[in-house]
Each structure stands twice: as C-alpha cells, then as structure tokens.
Amino acid sequence: MNTKRILTTAIAATTCVMTMNAQPKLSPTNIDEVLKAMTLEEKAKLLVGGANNFFGDQAAVGGEADLVAGAAGTSPAIPRLGIPATVLTDGPAGVRIDPTRKGTSQTYYATGFPIGTCLASTWNTELVGKVGEAIGNETKEYRCDVILGPGMNLHRNPLCGRNFEYYTLKTRC
C-alpha cells in the first residue's frame, strides 16, 4: 500500500512540474498563447493596475509605487508567464516622477517641456520631433515603460480640462 501511495504521489508531482514548465513565456511571437494561459484574475489585474490591490485581504490603493516614485501607476508582473511589471508615467509635458526616492540622496530631474498646443503652434515639426525624442529618452532613463502623453485632439468644447495639452487644430464653436 505504501508503494502505491508513493507511486501516486510521484506521478502527481511529475504532472505538476510538467504543467508548470509547460507555461508559455511571453515573447513577440506568442502573445495569443500567453493570453489564453492567463487566468481571468490575471487579466483583470492588468486592467486595474498594480497600484490598486483589489484582490487581497486588504484592498487599498497603493502597492507597487516603489518601482518609480511619483509614477502614474504600474501593471503587475506575472512571473509564471514572463510578463514584467510595467511603469506608467504621466507626461503631456514630459516625464512626471518624484525627484527623490527612498534609499538614495540622488535627485532625479525631469525636463518640463512646453505643452502640446504651444509646440503645435510653432509649426516646427523638427522641433516637435526632438522634444518627443527627449521625452522618450527620459522615460527610458527613469525606468518607466509607458508615457501617458502627449495627446492630440480637436478643441470641440472650451470646457475640456485638457485642451491646453493637446497638439491640435482649433475649430470654431
């Protein structure tokens, strides 16, 4: 009877290990396969973001903000599928982060660029391209993955609170 129990346990353990090893790891060529392997909870966590812990015993805002202080948010890592955490930063006028971080006396300076309406009014596409490149470089340098800006829109309503930051063609009301 002990032999049968040991054999059953060994088969179950082997099956478990094989299942764990069979999980796809994210790459540019297997996104659909990884999506199918994700649980519903993992998909929801990517939509909600890492800063909102709605799935734990103590649901509260806050969480992975330590990755980059002052960043707009994060998406959680899913290590079993090779999905890294991503850091989002607000940025219609450049990278927005806290200038100081825990554990270091270094100051992290980010450039404040003119907003989109101002840049668009120059009609200088070369200048706008250089600003975009500089924002991209700072985003990468400060370990952020996604910048939430700049934006482009028509000014259809003067009450829109984000009109100031858009690259735009103004329209008549």
Side-chain angles (χ1 to χ4, degrees), residues 47-66:
L47 292 174
V48 172
N52 301 305
N53 180 13
F54 296 125
F55 297 97
D57 293 336
Q58 299 173 338
V61 175
E64 294 182 283
D66 290 338

Side-chain angles (χ1 to χ4, degrees), residues 41-118:
E41 184 174 306
E42 289 169 335
K43 291 174 184 176
K45 283 182 178 181
L46 285 181
L47 292 174
V48 172
N52 301 305
N53 180 13
F54 296 125
F55 297 97
D57 293 336
Q58 299 173 338
V61 175
E64 294 182 283
D66 290 338
L67 292 175
V68 177
T74 60
S75 70
I78 305 174
R80 74 180 186 87
L81 298 173
I83 299 173
T86 55
V87 178
L88 297 87
T89 181
D90 212 355
V95 177
R96 189 189 59 146
I97 56 172
D98 286 348
T100 59
R101 297 185 184 170
K102 292 178 187 175
T104 181
S105 61
Q106 181 178 350
T107 303
Y108 296 84
Y109 295 103
T111 308
F113 291 96
I115 46 100
T117 304
C118 184

Side-chain angles (χ1 to χ4, degrees), residues 7 38 52 69 73 77 79 88 96 139 153:
L7 184 59
M38 290 175 72
N52 301 305
L88 297 87
R96 189 189 59 146
T139 302
N153 201 354

Side-chain angles (χ1 to χ4, degrees), residues 156-168:
R156 293 185 194 117
N157 185 328
L159 301 178
C160 176
R162 296 211 175 259
N163 279 342
F164 72 93
E165 66 188 33
Y166 295 138
Y167 294 95
T168 186

